[in-house]
Amino acid sequence: FELTQTLSVSVALGQTARITCGGNTIGSKNVHWYQQKPGQAPVVVMYRDINRPSGIPERFSGSNSGNTATLTITKAQAGDEADYYCQVWDSTTAIFGGGTKLTVL
Amino acid sequence: QVQLVQSGAEVKKPGASVKVACKASGYSFINYYIHWVRQAPGQGLEWMGTFNPSGGSTNYAHKFQGRVTMTSDTSTSTVYMELSSLRSEDTALFYCVRSREPYGDFIYWGQGTLVTVST
């Protein structure tokens, strides 16, 4: 099972960024999203498709259907600039997407 | 609060083995799986395997089978990951991670242990 992410996404300050994660019938799996800033360990920003951990702004939301899961960041801020990874479990094997670098212009 | 504290950086020669420790605290150690995730310099995240502290069962990624061993010392709430037959491509940051549920999201991360493989 493979997950495909766009290498990079750019968004203007204050606008909406959408980061996608493609996989065959990914809609049937639980997708988790991680944010990783330079020199730091990843942090989960969305789990089981649509659940936001405590401390993650409401500007972050998730969806998952068909062959694509999406992490949406509204009103993008400079602090959102980071690498984002999607992740699923294929039975007992964890699969990560290749990561998307989000640049806030 | 939940903490995963990993052992310090290592420098190894090709062909050697490395053993990384991950000491857990702030929760019931045997109730949550620990996973290991690798990140080569400038690269993405790669799952290496899962360890169940309750009973010691393991599930390794196919890529690492035969080279990785995960164990624990329940008396100190520490999980170990040993990688053998090291090569230069194994140079990476190794993270231990606790999931929210057995096959859930990776909610708690250690600080990472840099392993450098070099002659």
Side-chain angles (χ1 to χ4, degrees):
Chain A
F1 191 83
E2 291 186 1
L3 296 176
T4 302
Q5 294 186 243
T6 306
L7 213 54
S8 65
V9 168
S10 297
V11 62
L13 191 67
Q15 296 305 301
T16 297
R18 292 180 180 83
I19 299 170
T20 61
C21 178
N24 187 30
T25 63
I26 193 175
S28 65
K29 299 183 181 297
N30 288 319
V31 178
H32 315 297
W33 291 92
Y34 304 90
Q35 175 194 69
Q36 186 179 32
K37 296 181 179 179
Q40 298 183 19
V43 171
V44 57
V45 294
M46 198 68 53
Y47 66 99
R48 282 190 241 119
D49 300 340
I50 61 170
N51 296 278
R52 218 173 350 97
S54 59
I56 301 303
E58 291 182 13
R59 302 183 296 104
F60 287 74
S61 64
S63 64
N64 183 20
S65 178
N67 293 323
T68 306
T70 303
L71 177 70
T72 301
I73 307 170
T74 58
K75 300 177 185 175
Q77 301 179 359
D80 299 332
E81 196 161 281
D83 293 326
Y84 291 84
Y85 296 91
C86 57
Q87 179 253 318
V88 301
W89 285 95
D90 182 27
S91 183
T92 57
T93 297
I95 309 291
F96 285 100
T100 296
K101 182 176 182 58
L102 177 68
T103 300
V104 180
L105 304 171
Chain B
Q1 72 283 19
V2 174
Q3 279 195 307
L4 299 173
V5 179
Q6 299 182 224
S7 49
E10 303 260 14
V11 178
K12 296 292 183 181
K13 293 197 182 304
S17 296
V18 68
K19 192 170 186 177
V20 180
C22 170
K23 184 172 175 57
S25 62
Y27 69 97
S28 177
F29 176 69
I30 63 169
N31 285 348
Y32 294 90
Y33 289 10
I34 291 289
H35 315 265
W36 289 88
V37 174
R38 182 173 87 164
Q39 186 170 37
Q43 301 301 308
L45 304 172
E46 181 177 35
W47 173 78
M48 298 180 68
T50 297
F51 180 82
N52 182 356
S54 176
S57 61
T58 55
N59 178 36
Y60 302 141
H62 182 75
K63 174 177 181 177
F64 297 101
Q65 280 178 7
R67 279 211 303 147
V68 70
T69 305
M70 297 176 188
T71 57
S72 73
D73 179 348
T74 53
S75 69
T76 60
S77 300
T78 301
V79 178
Y80 300 93
M81 185 282 299
E82 184 170 20
L83 188 63
S84 62
S85 302
L86 291 169
R87 32 207 187 233
S88 58
E89 311 91 84
D90 291 318
T91 293
L93 200 51
F94 291 78
Y95 292 102
C96 65
V97 190
R98 203 208 85 177
S99 50
R100 190 183 306 266
E101 50 203 10
Y103 298 105
D105 60 305
F106 297 138
I107 183 175
Y108 298 108
W109 294 67
Q111 83 275 20
T113 295
L114 179 62
V115 175
T116 302
V117 183
S118 173
T119 55

